[in-house]
Amino acid sequence: MKPKEIQPQENLTKWMEFVLLDFADVPQLQWFLFALFLVIYLCILLGNGTIFLITKVVPALQTPMYFFLGNFSFLEICYVSVTIPKMLSNLWTQKRHISLVACATQMCFVLTLGGTECVLLAVMSYDRYVAICNPLHYPLVMNPKVCVQLVTGSWVSGIPVMIGQTIQIFSLPFCASRINHFFCDIPPILKLACGNTFINELLVYIVAVLFVTVPFLLILVSYGKIISMVLKLPSSSGRAKAFSTCSSHLTVVVLFYGSAIITYLRPKTQDTAGTDKVLSLFYTIVTPLFNPLIYSLRNKEVIMALRKLFCKNFSS
């Protein structure tokens, strides 16, 4: 990791406003991108909102697995609502300015919600591990009190760390104000900083390992034990049923963690801005968009709940 040269003191500026370049390099596509991301945002709200609703009102889905899924869907709504509305506003008005406070606030929420998603995905894998590997103890281990504690821990565990991460990044002096991204994320913000950012980048790696790599390893351990147990089942139908209950969650894990790990833990070069932007689209937009489809298309209980809900509404 090559340290940056320390700029002369007179060149250091206290920037109070940044410019989010997002997709300004393709001016001919601004209205198309606005329409595209607006449709995607509405689909995310509708899809995840529906999943959240049915897990709360359908009695058949009042189980720990769907309790976690409902919270995950609500989290996805919060996650995209931190980034997409500002991006839509930029595309609509072509005014891409964002104040330092607003940028820091957006980053803090993105980091906190991203950390929550990492931990919650690990909790969901633990739920599947207990259900498949210790089915007799499942009602006792995953009782309502434990489920609430696990979800609460997922939501609050990263708050102090991510606030501290945001403060230490925005305490840096900045030599430029043009952010080559569609939201205030760590890598493009650090590229604007003056002087040596080695310590800051080291802290980013430590936090990324803590909230991305550790939960991911826990997921791998859980699924390693699940696969080992499933392969020992005598009937092929039993194996297929066990795998089907895990495949949806595993697909979401691959989408989210794959892009997040590459974004935050790979070595940085001067030419990674475009790659970071594309990868960020996966864990901030693509995963929330496909989450309802993945869980509904691959889950018979969710499909039945949706049918009952829609039939009840249409008949009334």
Side-chain angles (χ1 to χ4, degrees):
M1 193 178 299
K2 186 179 179 181
K4 298 179 182 178
E5 288 187 20
I6 299 178
Q7 303 293 325
Q9 190 64 35
E10 60 269 20
N11 290 336
L12 303 184
T13 306
K14 183 65 175 180
W15 294 98
M16 298 306 294
E17 191 175 65
F18 293 100
V19 179
L20 286 167
L21 296 180
D22 53 65
F23 304 100
D25 54 338
V26 282
Q28 68 279 10
L29 296 178
Q30 298 300 290
W31 288 110
F32 169 76
L33 291 173
F34 174 82
L36 175 64
F37 287 119
L38 178 60
V39 171
I40 288 175
Y41 184 49
L42 294 176
C43 289
I44 291 172
L45 295 182
L46 179 61
N48 286 282
T50 302
I51 295 291
F52 176 75
L53 178 64
I54 64 173
T55 58
K56 300 302 178 185
V57 302
V58 177
L61 301 184
Q62 304 298 306
T63 64
M65 182 176 77
Y66 294 109
F67 173 72
F68 294 131
L69 178 58
N71 276 274
F72 185 73
S73 296
F74 178 71
L75 174 63
E76 296 285 51
I77 292 174
C78 296
Y79 200 32
V80 297
S81 296
V82 173
T83 57
I84 295 185
K86 177 59 180 174
M87 180 171 61
L88 291 174
S89 174
N90 292 343
L91 291 169
W92 176 268
T93 64
Q94 296 298 301
K95 297 177 181 178
R96 293 178 163 82
H97 297 276
I98 183 171
S99 69
L100 184 143
V101 173
C103 189
T105 302
Q106 185 185 55
M107 177 187 285
C108 187
F109 273 106
V110 168
L111 294 178
T112 301
L113 293 171
T116 299
E117 186 157 345
C118 291
V119 178
L120 189 56
L121 284 170
V123 168
M124 293 169 74
S125 71
Y126 174 70
D127 170 71
R128 292 298 82 208
Y129 160 72
V130 177
I132 294 174
C133 298
N134 296 288
L136 297 179
H137 295 91
Y138 183 69
L140 180 63
V141 175
M142 302 304 293
N143 62 70
K145 182 180 179 180
V146 170
C147 291
V148 171
Q149 289 174 341
L150 288 171
V151 168
T152 303
S154 300
W155 279 92
V156 304
S157 59
I159 292 176
V161 176
M162 299 312 178
I163 290 177
Q165 180 87 284
T166 304
I167 291 173
Q168 63 97 6
I169 288 175
F170 279 89
S171 298
L172 293 167
F174 296 104
C175 297
S177 62
R178 297 163 67 86
I179 303 171
N180 190 14
H181 214 291
F182 60 91
F183 69 94
C184 294
D185 200 9
I186 293 176
I189 293 290
L190 280 179
K191 288 181 180 179
L192 306 181
C194 302
N196 190 344
T197 59
F198 175 78
I199 299 299
N200 304 91
E201 293 179 21
L202 180 62
L203 291 174
V204 170
Y205 276 105
I206 292 172
V207 172
V209 167
L210 184 63
F211 281 92
V212 179
T213 307
V214 171
F216 184 64
L217 291 177
L218 292 175
I219 292 172
L220 291 181
V221 171
S222 296
Y223 275 104
K225 294 186 176 182
I226 288 171
I227 292 171
S228 176
M229 176 62 69
V230 170
L231 292 177
K232 294 177 183 178
L233 294 176
S235 66
S236 58
S237 61
R239 290 194 294 270
K241 183 178 180 181
F243 276 126
S244 67
T245 62
C246 300
S247 58
S248 301
H249 176 254
L250 198 55
T251 304
V252 173
V253 166
V254 171
L255 277 175
F256 179 79
Y257 272 101
S259 54
I261 287 175
I262 295 173
T263 299
Y264 289 101
L265 295 180
R266 83 182 194 282
K268 300 297 177 183
T269 65
Q270 293 297 320
D271 302 318
T272 60
T275 305
D276 286 344
K277 200 182 297 185
V278 173
L279 289 170
S280 297
L281 286 173
F282 274 90
Y283 66 83
T284 58
I285 295 177
V286 175
T287 301
L289 176 64
F290 284 102
N291 175 51
L293 293 175
I294 291 169
Y295 277 103
S296 61
L297 294 177
R298 302 177 68 89
N299 192 307
K300 293 181 180 179
E301 290 179 316
V302 172
I303 293 174
M304 291 298 296
L306 287 171
R307 285 177 180 172
K308 289 179 180 178
L309 185 64
F310 287 129
C311 289
K312 181 179 179 181
N313 289 336
F314 283 129
S315 61
S316 60

